Amino acid sequence: MLSNQSADPAKRSSLHGHWSSRMAFILAVTGSAVGLGNIWRFPYVVGENGGGAFVLVYLACVIVVGMPVMMSEILMGRRGRRNPIATMALLGSEEGKSTRWSLVGAMGVLAGVLILSYYAVVGGWTLAYVFKSGVGAFANAGVAVVTSIRDDFLGSWVNLGLYHTIFMGLTIFVVARGVERGLEQAVRFMVPALLLLMVVLLGYSITSGHFAEGVAFLFTPDWSKLTWDTVLTAMGQAFFTLSIGMGAVMAYGAFLSEETSIPGSATVVAMADTAIALLAGLVIFPIVFANGLDPAVGPGLVFVTLPLAFGQMPGGVFFATIFFVLLTFAAWTSAISLMEPAVAWIMEHFSKSRAQAAVMIGGLIWVLGFGTVLSFNVLADFTFWRGTIFDNLDHLTLNIMLPLGGLLIVVFAGWVMCRNATAEELGGAGLIYKLWRVLARYVAPIGILFVFLKAIGILPELS
Ligand code: PHE
């Protein structure tokens, strides 16, 4: 096929052009996928939910539910070529069905806004740790010092709010200017550098003396630790880490060239994302056990374990600073994609400039973010339903809105869109297409629904 095409000069040049845009797309989606979800959230939810069994359910969700949802989002984005709300309305009417499918896009836009409101607070927390690392606050520090630095930081809403403000400012700045160029360059450098530093950390973890214990915690399933609520959390984590279920990947798919393979791109992104999450687990749990920490401490887990590790390794001040810089970058590229659907919608729907839309949406998210800022201090005891304001936002968006969005997206791609349309986007009706179709029509929707109903307690336990 290649030699065939190279005989035709027009095709040869377009082949080259498309290779580079395939890379650009994969980089943009990887930038969105790799972020705090992998390094901050994955380890602490694994710790809170008992380890191995949770990890295996999460991996199964990535493959069986995550992959078909991601492919569906990309193909819908490429076919519609608009913001997610307009794309769903357009595709719905093209198939002779309701334009009301746009509500799925609207829920995604809302989910992006709510998620970013707490994501930016944790992004700010990461940024603050760049400076703490840089001045050597963690050098030779033990558990007590590292824990008190974390508690002091979280305890002050002014500090947390300040860094949240800086992080939101950075995000608004990039989104207002348009996301293309800088993002691509940043991700091209950031993901390999982050991987490299994770490998350095892994080296430290292996020598910590508790590596085997960490591996066992991560991969030995204790099924008695699993409840349907835990399964829902694992599924929510799979959606969150892959950036799916809220239209971010759909928005990026709108700029994808016709020739690029959607299954191929989705596979590369999912593998890179999963590898980074597992690596984070392999780094963090041996450190947890070596220092006698509790794996279930919650959102502060990486902000205690990693400073401890860096504090004890040679060149630790340098490595810690670089690491938190990279993690801030990773969070930044994800934050940009969380905001993009809302900004694209405001621009198209209200005829605003990109900068105006970014400031409006960003300002709203910034204000909402104080709900999370205060959840760690002033309002720490103000709890309802799932806990603090932060806990509720986390549960509502990740465990409800993203899986629900994903469910409606696969149902749309599998049942509402005609076979010809989806086969054309996924490169013909071969084996991969058949596999996608079975997953998108049956396995993923039934799986998501089943977990939902079980977790809510609507389906009774059998035994
Ligand atoms: N996937 C990102 C992370 O793991 C978060 C994200 C979710 C980004 C949804 C965009 C959309 O950090």
Side-chain angles (χ1 to χ4, degrees):
M1 193 182 145
L2 266 177
S3 59
N4 205 1
Q5 288 198 341
S6 58
D8 176 349
K11 278 200 177 139
R12 206 165 43 227
S13 65
S14 92
L15 190 69
H16 177 75
H18 289 137
W19 182 80
S20 103
S21 65
R22 173 173 189 244
M23 270 312 280
F25 175 73
I26 291 182
L27 285 169
V29 180
T30 307
S32 168
V34 173
L36 298 171
N38 307 60
I39 291 170
W40 163 70
R41 194 172 192 273
F42 176 74
Y44 92 73
V45 289
V46 169
E48 283 180 339
N49 290 287
F54 180 90
V55 173
L56 293 181
V57 174
Y58 151 83
L59 289 174
C61 287
V62 167
I63 295 167
V64 172
V65 181
M67 286 298 292
V69 173
M70 184 181 265
M71 285 163 64
S72 304
E73 264 198 48
I74 303 174
L75 79 86
M76 286 158 64
R78 182 161 78 181
R79 229 176 157 74
R81 298 219 180 270
R82 285 163 175 72
N83 73 68
I85 298 181
T87 284
M88 298 274 315
L90 177 72
L91 295 181
S93 77
E94 254 175 28
E95 299 287 346
K97 303 278 172 24
S98 170
T99 55
R100 284 287 160 145
W101 283 98
S102 61
L103 287 174
V104 179
M107 184 174 73
V109 165
L110 180 64
V113 167
L114 294 177
I115 293 174
L116 187 52
S117 82
Y118 63 82
Y119 202 88
V121 176
V122 184
W125 189 354
T126 313
L127 180 62
Y129 270 49
V130 170
F131 302 113
K132 292 194 193 303
S133 308
V135 298
F138 305 125
N140 301 315
V143 175
V145 171
V146 168
T147 314
S148 84
I149 290 177
R150 182 203 56 189
D151 293 345
D152 286 349
F153 181 71
L154 286 184
S156 151
W157 73 268
V158 177
N159 251 332
L160 202 51
L162 177 69
Y163 283 99
H164 161 59
T165 305
I166 299 174
F167 188 87
M168 260 332 282
L170 291 170
T171 305
I172 294 171
F173 176 72
V174 176
V175 175
R177 298 185 50 178
V179 286
E180 304 84 13
R181 271 266 156 245
L183 184 70
E184 200 184 320
Q185 296 307 330
V187 176
R188 202 185 281 273
F189 157 79
M190 175 203 81
V191 173
L194 194 62
L195 262 173
L196 196 73
L197 259 187
M198 298 290 287
V199 172
V200 170
L201 277 168
L202 185 65
Y204 171 83
S205 249
I206 291 175
T207 60
S208 72
H210 289 71
F211 191 65
E213 210 177 324
V215 173
F217 181 75
L218 210 50
F219 294 115
T220 313
D222 173 357
W223 299 108
S224 71
K225 297 250 173 69
L226 220 55
T227 63
W228 284 104
D229 212 44
T230 321
V231 174
L232 181 61
T233 306
M235 191 166 78
Q237 173 64 22
F239 276 88
F240 179 64
T241 191
L242 295 173
S243 301
I244 53 176
M246 50 71 69
V249 173
M250 203 186 289
Y252 281 178
F255 307 111
L256 186 59
S257 74
E258 293 302 334
E259 283 78 7
T260 303
S261 156
I262 292 177
S265 311
T267 308
V268 172
V269 173
M271 283 185 1
D273 188 74
T274 308
I276 294 192
L278 292 179
L279 210 49
L282 285 175
V283 165
I284 284 164
F285 289 109
I287 300 171
V288 166
F289 297 122
N291 292 283
L293 300 170
D294 173 12
V297 288
L301 186 65
V302 276
F303 292 103
V304 167
T305 47
L306 295 186
L308 267 179
F310 286 123
Q312 291 160 21
M313 71 170 73
V317 172
F318 172 75
F319 282 128
T321 313
I322 301 288
F323 178 85
F324 283 110
V325 166
L326 289 171
L327 188 55
T328 306
F329 263 107
W332 196 11
T333 55
S334 300
I336 290 163
S337 73
L338 278 163
M339 208 163 121
E340 184 61 22
V343 167
W345 175 67
I346 295 275
M347 283 168 66
E348 290 173 27
H349 199 76
F350 298 100
S351 317
K352 296 283 179 205
S353 72
R354 178 165 267 282
Q356 284 172 323
V359 170
M360 282 166 61
I361 289 291
L364 172 71
I365 295 171
W366 174 72
V367 173
L368 291 177
F370 280 87
T372 294
V373 165
L374 298 173
S375 295
F376 289 105
N377 35 65
V378 181
L379 297 181
D381 296 326
F382 173 63
T383 56
F384 55 100
W385 192 31
R386 289 278 166 163
T388 60
I389 296 174
F390 162 72
D391 295 327
N392 284 300
L393 277 172
D394 176 87
H395 183 72
L396 174 70
T397 52
L398 267 57
N399 298 348
I400 297 174
M401 293 174 90
L402 294 189
L404 192 59
L407 170 69
L408 295 167
I409 285 166
V410 273
V411 165
F412 187 87
W415 293 95
V416 177
M417 289 180 79
C418 65
R419 213 186 150 88
N420 286 346
T422 48
E424 198 177 297
E425 294 298 332
L426 294 181
L431 184 64
I432 292 182
Y433 178 73
K434 293 203 178 93
L435 189 61
W436 168 79
R437 204 162 148 92
V438 170
L439 292 174
R441 280 167 76 90
Y442 303 103
V443 182
I446 294 172
I448 297 171
L449 211 58
F450 185 77
V451 175
F452 257 138
L453 296 179
K454 277 292 196 184
I456 299 171
I458 290 184
L459 287 182
E461 297 290 335
L462 286 178
S463 53

